[in-house]
Amino acid sequence: MKREPLGILSSLLVIVCLLASSCKQRDSITFTAAERQVADSLVRAARDIDSLTRLQVRLEREGDILGSIVALRVLGDRFRNESDFDRALTTHSEGLKQAESILDTLEWVQALNNVGTDYRRMGILDIAQEYHYQAWSLCKVTTDTSFVAIKNQAKSLNGLGNIYLTLGNYERADSALRKALVVEQQLGSMVGVAINYANLGSIFEHRGEIDSAWVYYRYSMEANQKAESTLGIALCHSYFGSLYEQAQQYDKAAQEYEAGYQLMRGSRDEWHKLNLLVALASVHNATRDDAQMLQYLDQARSNAEKIEDKEHLADIYT
């Protein structure tokens, strides 16, 4: 499912109009914390995608709109974690539609950020930026001070920061990511802290400030280890490998990339595994080990074609 870009100005006008016509609803929480917890517990008890899909259909049919929205959010997350971005986008977009229809800001913002993230993973950055910006705009006017509402602020800023980073706008990326980091630190979210440290490290790496990049990547590894995040630890190994590769310490680079890939080997998250496969191909190319390079490239190409990842395919073909 593809949604055409609205343009940031028109998107903001939509938000302003909705807020103006429903300020009373906006100043109150649509559902109590207890109701949200019940819906979340019910949805997360579903073991797999099939059972979760059936549950969502039943909840929607029974008129449990909150349960339906939560189910769509979690279901979309599972599709994205398995690199099925088309179904993730379709599912998250339906959740956005339902959350917007009842003007539930908490789920509305989460859905906006999820759709934005889906578009980012698909490499469609202009539309992704609009959704994250809409999410951030809603965060700034809501009166909700719950953990999830504050977390939404960090996710919006992190999404924007990632886009600015990809586009090479390092000044704006640094500003957004540091604001997100402060929010994550206030919440005590180690995974969120780790993500923002890693992104800030990437800014330093792109600027050629390698010593600072090492510092922030190590901060990220420490936070990921505290959070026991396998994905985060694997990604940090890839960041370390990148710095070693730039220093032409290819043996150490290969060791780091391989350590990250082994942690991800059994994961269905093909998108993140692709980064490591391409990195392994790159370092073997640098050492002129053509056999190993082609082996990793062939595997990467197969995975990228399976999830229709054009951005990674371009790197692989290059």
Side-chain angles (χ1 to χ4, degrees):
M1 175 181 176
K2 300 288 192 298
R3 291 187 61 164
E4 294 301 319
L6 297 173
I8 290 177
L9 180 58
S10 59
S11 302
L12 291 175
L13 286 173
V14 170
I15 292 172
V16 170
C17 290
L18 285 169
L19 290 174
S21 64
S22 58
C23 58
K24 290 184 179 179
Q25 293 99 317
R26 183 69 59 234
D27 289 337
S28 61
I29 299 175
T30 309
F31 300 97
T32 65
E35 288 172 326
R36 294 184 190 279
Q37 186 173 3
V38 168
D40 195 67
S41 297
L42 175 65
V43 168
R44 294 193 183 279
R47 295 182 181 179
D48 52 40
I49 285 177
D50 288 340
S51 58
L52 184 51
T53 301
R54 290 193 296 270
L55 175 62
Q56 187 277 318
V57 171
R58 178 172 66 80
L59 292 170
E60 185 174 355
R61 185 175 61 243
E62 293 175 352
D64 185 347
I65 187 66
L66 176 61
S68 175
I69 292 169
V70 173
L72 287 165
R73 167 163 52 82
V74 175
L75 183 59
D77 289 349
R78 293 191 184 181
F79 284 135
R80 187 170 63 218
N81 290 340
E82 295 188 3
S83 301
D84 190 343
F85 301 129
D86 282 334
R87 285 208 286 178
L89 178 58
T90 299
T91 306
H92 282 142
S93 295
E94 178 58 29
L96 172 59
K97 179 181 175 182
Q98 292 189 15
E100 194 173 341
S101 72
I102 62 170
L103 298 171
D104 182 60
T105 309
L106 204 64
E107 290 293 341
W108 188 358
V109 173
Q110 288 189 88
L112 285 167
N113 277 324
N114 276 324
V115 172
T117 301
D118 295 337
Y119 275 120
R120 276 198 289 126
R121 293 287 180 87
M122 298 168 79
I124 308 173
L125 300 183
D126 55 342
I127 304 180
Q129 180 178 351
E130 291 182 8
Y131 280 95
H132 286 307
Y133 195 84
Q134 288 181 58
W136 173 235
S137 299
L138 279 175
C139 285
K140 289 192 292 185
V141 296
T142 184
T143 58
D144 190 351
T145 58
S146 66
F147 178 92
V148 175
I150 297 172
K151 184 74 171 179
N152 282 341
Q153 296 179 31
K155 288 183 177 181
S156 304
L157 287 164
N158 185 267
L160 288 169
N162 270 284
I163 292 169
Y164 297 145
L165 177 57
T166 302
L167 295 174
N169 191 336
Y170 302 131
E171 185 176 348
R172 294 188 73 180
D174 187 270
S175 175
L177 292 170
R178 287 189 185 278
K179 288 176 182 176
L181 176 60
V182 170
V183 176
E184 298 287 13
Q185 288 172 329
Q186 290 172 345
L187 292 173
S189 172
M190 283 295 102
V191 171
V193 166
I195 289 171
N196 282 284
Y197 273 142
N199 286 331
L200 287 165
S202 184
I203 292 174
F204 284 117
E205 182 178 357
H206 280 90
R207 286 173 169 168
E209 300 174 38
I210 303 304
D211 288 344
S212 295
W214 271 115
V215 169
Y216 277 83
Y217 285 153
R218 284 170 176 148
Y219 284 160
S220 181
M221 176 64 93
E222 183 180 351
N224 276 310
Q225 289 171 337
K226 288 180 180 178
E228 299 181 349
S229 170
T230 300
L231 172 59
I233 293 169
L235 291 176
C236 283
H237 280 299
S238 75
Y239 305 145
F240 295 165
S242 176
L243 296 182
Y244 279 130
E245 186 175 358
Q246 289 180 57
Q248 298 184 356
Q249 298 182 46
Y250 298 123
D251 288 345
K252 290 184 177 180
Q255 288 173 8
E256 293 290 350
Y257 291 145
E258 187 63 38
Y261 183 67
Q262 290 303 321
L263 285 172
M264 293 291 296
R265 199 178 191 93
S267 171
R268 299 181 71 175
D269 185 345
E270 299 294 344
W271 192 84
H272 280 111
K273 280 197 289 188
L274 273 169
N275 290 327
L276 288 159
L277 285 169
V278 172
L280 280 162
S282 173
V283 76
H284 286 296
N285 179 49
T287 58
R288 299 186 178 182
D289 186 345
D290 291 347
Q292 278 280 61
M293 176 192 69
L294 290 171
Q295 179 181 333
Y296 285 120
L297 280 179
D298 187 57
Q299 187 175 349
R301 181 176 60 181
S302 175
N303 291 4
E305 287 175 343
K306 181 170 67 176
I307 66 173
E308 299 180 358
D309 186 339
K310 294 181 176 61
E311 188 174 0
H312 276 112
L313 275 172
D315 289 340
I316 291 162
Y317 287 136
T318 299

